[in-house]
Amino acid sequence: MNETLLFQLLLNGIVIGMTYALIAVGLSLIFGVMEIVNFAHGQLYMVGAAAMLLMVSAFGLGYFPALVGAVLLTAVAGFFLYQGLLRHLKQGEFERGIILTLGIGMVIQNGANLLIGASPRVVDTGFSFIQLRAGGLVIDAHRALAMGLAVIALAGLHGVLRFTRLGKAMRAFAQNREAAFMVGMRPSLIAGQAVVLGIALAGLAGASLAPVFTVHPAMGMPVLFKAFAIVIIGGLGHIPGALAAGLIIGVSESLVGGYGSTVMQDAVAFLAMIAILMARPQGLFGKGVRV
Amino acid sequence: MTAEVGRIGLQPASAARTLYRPLLAAAAAAFVLLPWWAPSSYAVNVAILAMTFAVVCTGLNLIFGYAGLLSFAQVGFWGVGAYVSALCAVDLGLSPWLCFVAGGLTAAVIALALGVPALRVSRASFVIVTLSFTLLLGLLARNWVDVTRGPLGIPGLPAPEVSIPGLGTFSGHQPTVFFYIMLVFACIAIGAIRVIVTSPVGRALKALNQNEPLARSQGIHAVRHQLFAFAVSALVTGMAGGLYVFHLSIVDPTIFDVYYVEMMLIIVILGGPGSFWSVIVASGVFTVLPELLRISPDLRLVLFGVVLVGAALVLPGGFGGWLEQRRLRAWRRNLSS
């Protein structure tokens, strides 16, 4: 077996897995605090990528200013989505939340189709043809940046959840809603911030991957498919679990794609999800089943 | 006392009430005779689409409206039925009649296999697993070229044929013939689901939906009932998918399009989950209305999204739920006066 190929595949898998984790962690955060599965998450990832395209092509910004602008734009979109729509969901209205977010996702995706057309577009920043090499391994600059940003964002999120009042409040809500109500936490405030944070993470993933892949309105659905499998494998609402599962899926997809077939590569995430549901329904890291 | 209440509740309110049955019969007769007065075969094709959606959405209504499980796998079952039927006809050369039954049975078996892991944890995991299933099938239809022929699909499918002694053989490629094939299938499929929802099984499903712990304490086996409903909805949906692609005479990966997910959800949600006839009426309304308004497909999907958001915010029980609440209010008013 060729060792360089193996290491290259592992590296690619880790890079893509980190960005999967970024998306899945946002999904998990929103589920943990609001108890809704955000079906528009994939489309918000697309909004991040489209905003990056806008910043780079229309405004001529460089990589980092464009990235910051794109993430802010997605976060603002998330803020208005929460204030305008998601805020009206009451607790226990699980199906209603799905229908609402699905509708939002449809409007975003097909609206983008009308606005920018269905054809894929390339985001050309100044780093497009730079590659980093080390010991026979090759990684292009955009991928390295996407992974670095994901690591920074996840570390930052960990810090927020662990050490700030807001983060503690979010964890409190995810653990026990009633108790959090009783000690006087404001659900609308906490939930709003969790939604904006989760959507901003999806936006970051979209913006940092836009130059790696291409930007088109339907790009969100396949990514949502992976993120769903990851949150089930890691345990719904379990954030470190989502990170670990993201890496597992990213690496195994890369290995299967490299040594097997693309058909199997598509199926890996789904089969892993089914296997976990059969063997360990609470997810790899979940402690017990939450209903 | 209860008999008295029932009588008051059923009291006809106006002249419209007494005309209800004859009007319904006339509308049904007009629909059955549609190919003979329709201005074009285009109208017949729209009616075929409406009947297809009526079957598929009644299947979704069984699993979502009655059993309370929001399933996104219906489009997957519909596509499985379509592909299995097409492959049976093209690769094995079987009769289209056998093929579409095989398609439905395959979908039902997959539903049983998928339902076991999907129902294990929570309603959230059911939704996630079923949507993932549909998305995976869409990817497989595109990429598993050896079997599915990839994005180009399988063209030139045969149509089912009907032989009537003394009159000859009629090919389903003619819209009029296919209209009656679909009409018979829709009546059987919808009738079967009607039998299920009014049977003890249907009442058990409703009880599980309203209060699962209570229903289970009464000895109702939750997973067994839910799996049964899931498999039945998959069976009719798969058969409908198979018939539908014989009508189109081609199957390609767009059969798994999100468009169908949206259509089915809009019809069931606006019709009212758990309202049997409202969903069937909604199937007609939401297939005919966009055709009449001639909205471009891209804009149509945006509007569908807006409709879904609006329905989730304003009318969670759908039109059927709204009618039911009105009926209950009138009933209470009668009681108190």
Side-chain angles (χ1 to χ4, degrees):
Chain A
M1 193 188 289
N2 185 343
E3 274 182 24
T4 322
L5 176 64
L6 176 67
F7 283 120
Q8 183 71 51
L9 288 173
L10 279 177
L11 180 67
N12 290 351
I14 291 169
V15 172
I16 198 79
M18 287 304 290
T19 25
Y20 283 165
L22 210 52
I23 298 160
V25 162
L27 199 62
S28 221
L29 187 68
I30 296 174
F31 181 82
V33 176
M34 280 200 79
E35 292 184 340
I36 60 168
V37 180
N38 181 17
F39 272 56
H41 214 70
Q43 277 82 16
L44 288 159
Y45 159 83
M46 182 273 288
V47 167
M52 186 74 180
L53 175 72
L54 180 79
M55 297 288 165
V56 170
S57 315
F59 299 153
L61 294 179
Y63 184 87
F64 287 103
L67 190 93
V68 171
V71 172
L72 284 179
L73 205 67
T74 320
V76 168
F79 175 77
F80 283 112
L81 277 184
Y82 179 77
Q83 288 299 329
L85 300 168
L86 299 177
R87 196 162 53 90
H88 301 290
L89 290 170
K90 294 181 198 72
Q91 208 204 331
E93 290 184 320
F94 177 71
E95 274 81 14
R96 206 172 155 204
I98 287 174
I99 292 159
L100 186 62
T101 52
L102 186 78
I104 293 169
M106 278 162 51
V107 173
I108 295 175
Q109 180 173 335
N110 297 301
N113 232 339
L114 285 179
L115 286 176
I116 65 172
S119 53
R121 284 147 189 268
V122 178
V123 178
D124 185 18
T125 71
F127 305 135
S128 290
F129 298 103
I130 301 175
Q131 288 184 327
L132 311 176
R133 288 164 193 278
L137 298 180
V138 183
I139 179 167
D140 58 78
H142 283 138
R143 275 181 200 265
L145 279 169
M147 184 173 77
L149 287 166
V151 171
I152 293 168
L154 290 170
L157 179 73
H158 178 75
V160 168
L161 287 178
R162 192 94 183 80
F163 300 114
T164 65
R165 278 171 67 83
L166 171 67
K168 286 176 185 168
M170 283 180 191
R171 282 191 293 144
F173 257 91
Q175 278 168 13
N176 190 333
R177 285 181 76 90
E178 285 75 20
F181 273 126
M182 260 186 293
V183 296
M185 292 182 185
R186 281 172 57 193
S188 59
L189 198 68
I190 314 284
Q193 282 160 337
V195 168
V196 171
L197 196 54
I199 288 176
L201 290 175
L204 175 63
S208 62
L209 285 184
V212 178
F213 303 118
T214 53
V215 180
H216 58 102
M219 68 191 285
M221 263 310 188
V223 170
L224 184 70
F225 170 61
K226 307 283 163 57
F228 273 175
I230 289 165
V231 292
I232 291 277
I233 293 169
L236 257 176
H238 195 276
I239 287 170
L243 170 59
L247 284 173
I248 293 172
I249 293 296
V251 168
S252 36
E253 271 189 354
S254 178
L255 290 178
V256 169
Y259 293 114
S261 66
T262 46
V263 176
M264 278 313 290
Q265 191 178 12
D266 291 333
V268 166
F270 183 79
L271 294 177
M273 172 171 75
I274 295 291
I276 286 291
L277 279 173
M278 292 312 286
R280 221 182 128 74
Q282 70 272 39
L284 273 185
F285 307 97
K287 288 206 178 65
V289 177
R290 286 186 7 166
V291 181
Chain B
M1 182 62 202
T2 44
E4 186 71 44
V5 169
R7 202 185 56 78
I8 292 170
L10 290 171
Q11 219 164 36
S14 61
R17 263 280 192 245
T18 51
L19 280 174
Y20 177 68
R21 273 166 188 281
L23 275 178
L24 200 65
F31 183 77
V32 171
L33 296 175
L34 181 88
W36 308 103
W37 60 265
S40 62
S41 63
Y42 165 73
V44 178
N45 284 330
V46 174
I48 290 171
L49 187 63
M51 287 189 285
T52 315
F53 273 118
V55 172
V56 171
C57 294
T58 302
L60 178 59
N61 198 13
L62 173 67
I63 186 73
F64 176 42
Y66 290 89
L69 297 164
L70 183 47
S71 160
F72 286 93
Q74 305 309 108
V75 174
F77 296 143
W78 148 272
V80 164
Y83 265 99
V84 170
S85 304
L87 290 171
C88 280
V90 173
D91 287 356
L92 304 177
L94 297 174
S95 144
W97 294 108
L98 277 177
C99 295
F100 98 97
V101 174
L105 289 175
T106 313
V109 170
I110 291 176
L112 290 175
L114 184 71
V116 172
L119 285 168
R120 271 188 75 136
V121 188
S122 63
R123 292 191 298 172
S125 69
F126 184 80
V127 170
I128 289 177
V129 172
T130 52
L131 183 70
S132 300
F133 168 72
T134 297
L135 293 176
L136 173 72
L137 287 179
L139 288 174
L140 287 183
R142 268 189 194 83
N143 295 341
W144 198 6
V145 182
D146 298 344
V147 175
T148 63
R149 325 305 200 247
L152 294 179
I154 309 168
L157 301 180
E161 288 180 345
V162 184
S163 299
I164 303 174
L167 286 173
T169 305
F170 300 94
S171 161
H173 279 313
Q174 287 171 282
T176 308
V177 176
F178 198 86
F179 177 88
Y180 286 107
I181 294 175
M182 192 49 107
L183 183 66
V184 171
F185 168 69
C187 288
I188 294 171
I190 292 171
I193 293 179
R194 181 73 194 162
V195 167
I196 290 171
V197 298
T198 49
S199 74
V201 175
R203 283 200 294 280
L205 284 173
K206 273 191 233 173
L208 284 169
N209 184 13
Q210 282 170 4
N211 190 337
E212 188 170 324
L214 180 63
R216 285 166 75 151
S217 77
Q218 301 297 307
I220 296 174
H221 195 299
V223 172
R224 205 177 288 163
H225 280 87
Q226 287 163 342
L227 273 182
F228 173 74
F230 199 39
V232 170
S233 77
L235 177 71
V236 295
T237 309
M239 289 170 86
L243 266 187
Y244 185 66
V245 291
F246 285 136
H247 172 56
L248 294 180
S249 83
I250 177 170
V251 60
D252 63 32
T254 57
I255 197 86
F256 294 106
D257 205 280
V258 192
Y259 162 76
Y260 293 109
V261 181
E262 295 171 357
M263 263 306 260
M264 291 179 196
L265 270 177
I266 283 194
I267 288 169
V268 173
I269 283 160
L270 284 184
S275 309
F276 196 84
W277 303 113
S278 299
V279 167
I280 291 170
V281 173
S283 311
V285 171
F286 283 99
T287 19
V288 174
L289 209 59
E291 303 291 337
L292 285 180
L293 297 177
R294 302 202 176 273
I295 306 168
S296 82
D298 285 338
L299 187 61
R300 189 182 297 187
L301 291 172
V302 176
L303 289 179
F304 278 5
V306 174
V307 168
L308 265 189
V309 170
L313 287 178
V314 187
L315 206 69
F319 191 66
W322 178 75
L323 279 180
E324 179 72 14
Q325 277 181 355
R326 247 176 64 115
R327 200 182 63 78
L328 284 176
R329 263 207 301 278
W331 184 70
R332 289 199 194 96
R333 216 178 304 128
N334 276 339
L335 271 184
S336 56
S337 62

